[in-house]
Amino acid sequence: MSADVARRIPVTLIPGDGTGPECIQAARRIVDASGAPIDWEVFEAGAKVFKKGLSSGVPPETMDSITRTRVALKGPLETPIGFGEKSANVTLRKLFETYSNVRPVRELPGVTTPYSGRGIDLVVVRENVEDLYAGIEYMQTPGVAQALKLISFKGSERIARFAFEYARSEGRTKVACATKANILKFSEGMLKRAFEQVASDYPEIEPWHVIVDNAAHQLVKRPEQFEVLVMTNMNGDILSDLTSALVGGLGFAASANIGGEAAIFEAVHGSAPKYAGKNVINPTAVILSAVMMLRHLGLFDEAGAIEHAVFVTLESGVLTGDVLGYDRGTPTTEYTDTIIGNLGRRTETWSVRDVKPLQLPKLDPAPDYVKATSRAVVGLDVFVETPLTAAELGASLMDLTRDTRLSLVMISSRGTKVFPPTGAMTETGDHFRCRFIIRENPGDLPDEDVHQLLARISREHRWMHIEKLQEFDGELGFTRDQGD
Ligand code: NAP
């Protein structure tokens, strides 16, 4: 036990579903055997809770425990279909505002992959509470769906700073920011801008930006060039599954959900129900998640000891069925016993990182984190459902809105301008975005003008969505369309 830690530390333990309890039991036994002064508070979440009719999947007593302990180690939770549609995992991440999801992968002894010998050792830092995972979706017409990708500057700055701090805590020298800012200039571009702004506070770390599709390519081609990658939620979700496959698969992929108030540690994998109760599952991902948890709690000696013991075990060829084949793999309990038996032994051939305490970024809590000195509403996008052609719709809208303050300047179909005609061969459906701009004296468009415009359009057309076109500090707060 670390000399300065005499206290007992309460941690919420959620066994989870499917193979979760077997993995959690393995991790708990190893943590206890390491001498880490953890007092486990065992609580439920997931399938059993959904079946009792609680649609969040997380009962109040589990929430209370995490609120008290601020730290949880959890097994994977199923999202059963037919017992409420929410994911208990997403509920936990959002309720405790664990804004960063940290997914380290590294080459492991004894686990042979096409990349063996290349020295992969990287961390994906994924923004965990914003982006498309807000799940704000609408059917705009019977045949057209919309999902809102909401990205805040504050959330972007927070995750960018977190990535640099994480790199600093592990003595890493490069942080890559992978975005789709070339296409999504505002939303993905927000992370790129925040990343570039905060990079100067970390002069010892080399920042670089890479377009996310190229990041996928580079990760497969030359993964060893990456140390830390920071991404928005969905990109990070997808690419972190890719990175786990580079080093042996989900059985080895640990993760941490860290926020300012609480942290939840879990494997990347799900409940793998087909292996439940068979004593064959690879518990390493949960064990390494527990190692991350111990470091979070400042128990660096215990964390290092467990990591060494895992490496010594793997080096000795004691491997689970996912690596060797399920007819030949070491059973989960025996694998766990071997790691416990190896506590105190150190790997000579594999390095274990010297990790320093992570400094979480502290941002101004003001809700209006980004302030504009000037702002104006300069127009309106009105989304219309109609069987008309773009030319017919354009003529009708110009006629209907002739004496309003707003003038129709463009109609687009799925982001491509179709009116006034451009000569392009764009196929249109029944869903159009119609852009109106103030005719003269641009200033702040009063809502009365918006109401008047919508009343006019409603005379002949079905509109289902509007978006105010705004300028902040003289900069357009909306994008132009392809061909505009
Ligand atoms: P999964 O449980 O991760 O399993 C997919 C496959 O990954 C397994 O069939 C197995 O591959 C491999 N695998 C997963 N964990 C492994 C381990 N510890 N050791 C070795 N191999 C492992 O994904 P899923 O089947 O899509 O999801 C099952 C349930 O888990 C769903 O209800 C889902 O909602 C939930 N889930 C929860 C979380 C979470 O709690 N954070 C995350 C993801 C999914 P082979 O078949 O090739 O052996």
Side-chain angles (χ1 to χ4, degrees), residues 287-303:
I287 296 166
L288 294 178
S289 304
V291 167
M292 296 176 81
M293 180 191 83
L294 294 178
R295 291 202 168 109
H296 175 79
L297 294 170
L299 299 168
F300 293 100
D301 294 348
E302 293 83 346

Side-chain angles (χ1 to χ4, degrees), residues 257-306:
N257 302 285
I258 300 178
E261 302 297 331
I264 301 172
F265 298 83
E266 61 178 335
V268 171
H269 64 71
S271 59
K274 69 181 177 188
Y275 298 119
K278 296 188 175 154
N279 198 25
V280 296
I281 198 71
N282 181 355
T284 313
V286 177
I287 296 166
L288 294 178
S289 304
V291 167
M292 296 176 81
M293 180 191 83
L294 294 178
R295 291 202 168 109
H296 175 79
L297 294 170
L299 299 168
F300 293 100
D301 294 348
E302 293 83 346
I306 295 174

Side-chain angles (χ1 to χ4, degrees), residues 163-175 198-207 227:
F164 282 106
E165 290 292 349
Y166 194 88
R168 196 173 254 181
S169 76
E170 296 203 340
R172 295 179 186 260
T173 57
K174 287 192 293 184
V175 178
V198 306
S200 56
D201 292 342
Y202 302 88
E204 78 280 19
I205 297 169
E206 181 193 330
E227 291 194 50

